[in-house]
Amino acid sequence: LELLSAWASRAAAQRGHVTAAFGNALRDYLLRLRARLMALVNPKPKEKTSLLLLHARTKKAAGQLARLAAVCLCDDFADDDLVTPHIDGASAAAKADAGSETANSLPPRLRRSSRARSSGSMSSIAAPAPYACGITPTPSLVSMFEKLPSGVGLIAHFYAAAQESEGSPDSPLYYALLSALLEPYMRFLCEWVFNGRLVDLYSEFGILMNEQALAQHDSFYWKRAFKIDTSSQLFPGNMLHDVMTCGKALTLLRTCEPLHYLFSTQLPTPALRLHFNPEAVREMQQSVAKYFGVLSALSSAHKNARDTLLANAEQDRIARFQDGVRRAQAAADELSRRAESARQQKALDQQQEHAMAEAGKALFRQRQEEDREREAEAERKRKASDQKLRARSEALMQQMEERQRSLAIAAEKREAAAQWRYIRGTHREKLAALLKQDKAEEAEAIATTPRPQKTQEPVPLPATTAAIFGATPTDAVLAAALENAYNAPHHCRHLRQPSRTSAN
C-alpha cells in the first residue's frame, strides 16, 4: 500500500489529480496507522501495553490493511515483485543506519523482504530511484497498480466500496478516502458550474471538450462542443446532464457576453465538499443559498437596470417617433404647398405652351411656303442643270466614241505591224531568199519582156510574193510596203536585227 501511495503520487502527470489525491490520502492514512502501531510497540515510560491489547490492535490493523489492499487491487503480489535499490560503496556506511530504521518501520512482510535482499545492497549496479519506503516496485507490480481506475472511475470505485462497507469498521476509512478523492473533482465542479470553465487537463472528470466545435459559433456548438463520457457515471439519474447543461450554458454566455455580471463581479463561490456532519451540510447549504441570493439580487438589479434602459430607450423611441411625426406633418404641408405652386405653375406653363404652339404653327406654315418656293426654284435649277449635263454627256459620249474608233484603228495598225514584225523576225532567211528570187525573176522578166506601153493596169506581183501574201491588191501593196521598209537603211534596222524577245 505504501508503494501504491508513492506510485499514485508520482503518476499525477499521467493519470490526473484524482490519482494524486488518492496517493496523498493513502499515504497520510498509512503514516497515522504506523504512528499508532509504533506507539503501542514503543510506549511512553509511564505507560504500559499488554500483549493482548497489542495483538488485538495489530490483528485489527492487519485485517483492515488486507481489505484496503483488496479494494485497491494490490493484494495479489509476491515478495519477488519488490526490489530494494542498490547503494554505492562510498555511501553504504552512511545509509546503513537509515536503511535499518526504514526496514524496522516497515510491516513484517515488507520487512522480511527487505532483510532477505540486504545482502545485495552493496552491489555497484545502478537501480531506479527508490520510493519513500526505500523499496522500488518491479514493472509487474507497476502494471498491477495501473489496473486501478483513474479520475471519475476511481471515485466511483471507492464510492461503491464505501457503500458495500456501510456499517462495518472500515466504512469511515473508505469515506475518508472518498472525501479526499472528491476534492479535485469538487474544484472542477466549482469552476464548471459557477464560472463555465472546463479545467480538466487529463480528461478525468467525465466531460469531454471538442476544440473544433468550440471554435464554430453555430448550431454545432451546443451539440458537439461538449459531451459526457458515459464510461463512468458518478451522479445519479439526470444530475450529470444538469451539471453538463449548466456549465455549457455558462460557457456560451461567456463567449457571447464576456462582461456579463456573472463574470464581471468577483463573487466568492461556495466551496463544495463531501460532508458527513449535518451541521457542515447545513453550513454548505447556507453558503450556497447566500450565493444564489446574491446572484438573485444582482439579477434583479441587472433586470431593473435593463428595464430602466429599455424604458428610457422606449421613451427615446416615442420621442423620436413624435418628432418624426411632426417632421412628417411639416413635410406633408410643405409638399401640399409645393403641389399647389406646381399646379399654378403648370397652368401658366400650359398657357405659355399654347401660345408658343400657335406661334409655332404660324411660323411652320410660313416656313412651309418658303420651303415650297425654294423647292420650286431648286426644281427649275435642277432641270436646267440636267439639260446641261445631258448635253455635256452626249458630247462626251461622241468624243469617247471617236476616241475609241481612233484607238481601235491604231490598235489594228499596231497589231498588223506586230504581226509583220513577228513574221519578219521568224522568217528572215526565207524572206531574204524569196526577195532574192523575186529580184531574179523580176530582172529576168524585165530582160525578156519588151517595154510595155503605159497603161492603167496594175503590175502583177511575182509568183512567190503572191503565193505568200495573196493576190489581192491590198496584199500586194502591203508586201511592197514591207519590202520598202526592209530595204530602208536607217529607220528599219530593228527589223533586220530582231530583238531577243521577237526572235523567241
Side-chain angles (χ1 to χ4, degrees):
L1 288 174
E2 284 186 341
L3 290 175
L4 175 61
S5 65
W7 172 83
S9 300
R10 292 189 177 188
Q14 291 81 20
R15 298 175 67 87
H17 298 292
V18 176
T19 304
F22 166 69
N24 296 331
L26 183 60
R27 182 190 59 197
D28 294 342
Y29 163 70
L30 294 176
L31 289 176
R32 287 194 299 269
L33 180 61
R34 178 180 297 164
R36 290 198 299 269
L37 294 176
M38 294 305 295
L40 293 175
V41 174
N42 300 319
K44 294 181 180 180
K46 295 183 179 181
E47 294 180 356
K48 295 181 180 180
T49 304
S50 63
L51 292 177
L52 184 59
L53 178 60
L54 180 61
H55 176 70
R57 294 286 179 84
T58 53
K59 184 177 181 180
K60 179 181 178 182
Q64 191 176 32
L65 289 174
R67 289 188 293 273
L68 180 60
V71 172
C72 295
L73 306 180
C74 60
D75 57 339
D76 186 14
F77 72 97
D79 291 341
D80 295 336
D81 293 331
L82 303 177
V83 177
T84 55
H86 301 291
I87 304 174
D88 296 336
S91 60
K95 294 184 179 179
D97 297 335
S100 62
E101 293 178 359
T102 304
N104 291 329
S105 63
L106 292 174
R109 186 179 183 181
L110 300 183
R111 191 184 303 168
R112 289 194 304 270
S113 177
S114 176
R115 289 174 181 175
R117 290 170 177 81
S118 60
S119 59
S121 61
M122 303 301 294
S123 176
S124 61
I125 301 175
Y131 288 169
C133 59
I135 298 177
T136 303
T138 59
S140 61
L141 192 59
V142 172
S143 63
M144 183 178 64
F145 290 161
E146 290 178 350
K147 294 179 181 178
L148 195 68
S150 63
V152 180
L154 185 60
I155 298 174
H157 177 71
F158 273 91
Y159 179 68
Q163 284 184 334
E164 291 177 0
S165 64
E166 187 71 30
S168 66
D170 298 336
S171 180
L173 171 60
Y174 296 146
Y175 277 113
L177 292 176
L178 181 62
S179 178
L181 291 176
L182 283 173
E183 286 184 1
Y185 187 70
M186 291 301 177
R187 290 195 298 270
F188 161 76
L189 281 183
C190 287
E191 287 293 328
W192 178 245
V193 300
F194 293 134
N195 298 321
R197 292 192 183 96
L198 184 65
V199 185
D200 189 5
L201 300 178
Y202 305 103
S203 301
E204 55 180 340
F205 297 126
I207 297 178
L208 305 179
M209 179 174 61
N210 188 354
E211 295 289 346
Q212 296 180 355
L214 190 63
Q216 297 177 359
H217 297 166
D218 52 11
S219 60
F220 292 103
Y221 171 85
W222 190 260
K223 297 178 181 179
R224 302 180 183 177
F226 302 97
K227 65 179 182 179
I228 300 174
D229 186 7
T230 57
S231 60
S232 59
Q233 291 288 343
L234 185 61
F235 291 101
N238 294 329
M239 190 174 179
L240 182 59
H241 183 268
D242 296 339
V243 171
M244 173 76 172
T245 305
C246 176
K248 188 161 58 172
L250 286 175
T251 306
L252 179 61
L253 181 61
R254 183 186 292 275
T255 303
C256 297
E257 191 175 353
L259 300 179
H260 194 268
Y261 69 91
L262 288 177
F263 315 119
S264 60
T265 56
Q266 300 296 330
L267 293 178
T269 58
L272 301 179
R273 296 178 62 87
L274 179 63
H275 296 289
F276 305 99
N277 187 2
E279 185 66 25
V281 174
R282 282 194 296 270
E283 290 179 0
M284 186 178 67
Q285 289 176 353
Q286 289 175 2
S287 64
V288 172
K290 182 179 178 180
Y291 175 75
F292 279 104
V294 174
L295 286 184
S296 299
L298 285 176
S299 177
S300 300
H302 181 73
K303 183 177 181 302
N304 293 333
R306 184 179 61 185
D307 293 341
T308 303
L309 290 176
L310 291 176
N312 295 334
E314 184 66 19
Q315 291 178 0
D316 293 341
R317 189 184 66 80
I318 292 173
R320 288 195 299 270
F321 177 73
Q322 293 176 353
D323 189 18
V325 170
R326 287 193 296 270
R327 290 182 181 180
Q329 187 64 32
D333 296 339
E334 180 67 20
L335 287 175
S336 61
R337 186 183 62 79
R338 289 183 180 180
E340 184 64 26
S341 176
R343 284 194 295 272
Q344 295 177 2
Q345 184 67 30
K346 184 178 180 180
L348 182 60
D349 292 342
Q350 288 178 355
Q351 293 177 0
Q352 292 179 356
E353 288 178 359
H354 182 69
M356 291 177 66
E358 293 296 332
K361 289 180 181 180
L363 182 61
F364 180 73
R365 288 192 294 270
Q366 182 180 358
R367 288 183 177 178
Q368 281 184 343
E369 293 294 334
E370 292 177 357
D371 291 341
R372 283 194 290 271
E373 292 177 359
R374 284 196 297 272
E375 288 177 358
E377 183 67 23
E379 184 66 22
R380 287 193 297 273
K381 291 181 179 181
R382 186 180 63 78
K383 290 181 179 180
S385 177
D386 291 343
Q387 290 178 359
K388 291 181 180 179
L389 288 174
R390 196 177 298 109
R392 185 178 297 176
S393 63
E394 291 177 356
L396 288 174
M397 289 295 293
Q398 292 178 359
Q399 293 178 2
M400 288 177 63
E401 290 176 358
E402 292 177 359
R403 177 66 177 170
Q404 288 177 357
R405 284 193 295 272
S406 62
L407 291 175
I409 293 172
E412 291 176 357
K413 291 181 178 181
R414 285 195 298 273
E415 184 179 2
Q419 289 180 357
W420 166 245
R421 285 194 297 272
Y422 174 75
I423 295 172
R424 187 68 176 271
T426 54
H427 304 281
R428 182 181 298 276
E429 295 179 357
K430 185 177 180 179
L431 182 61
L434 291 174
L435 291 176
K436 187 176 180 181
Q437 185 179 358
D438 287 344
K439 288 182 179 181
E441 291 178 356
E442 183 180 359
E444 185 180 355
I446 291 173
T448 57
T449 304
R451 179 182 294 274
Q453 295 182 359
K454 295 181 179 181
T455 61
Q456 298 297 328
E457 294 179 358
V459 179
L461 292 175
T464 57
T465 303
I468 295 173
F469 296 103
T472 60
T474 303
D475 294 337
V477 173
L478 179 58
L482 291 174
E483 185 179 357
N484 293 330
Y486 176 77
N487 293 326
H490 54 279
H491 62 277
C492 290
R493 286 178 185 174
H494 61 280
L495 295 177
R496 296 181 183 179
Q497 298 179 358
S499 62
R500 184 181 300 271
T501 304
S502 61
N504 292 336

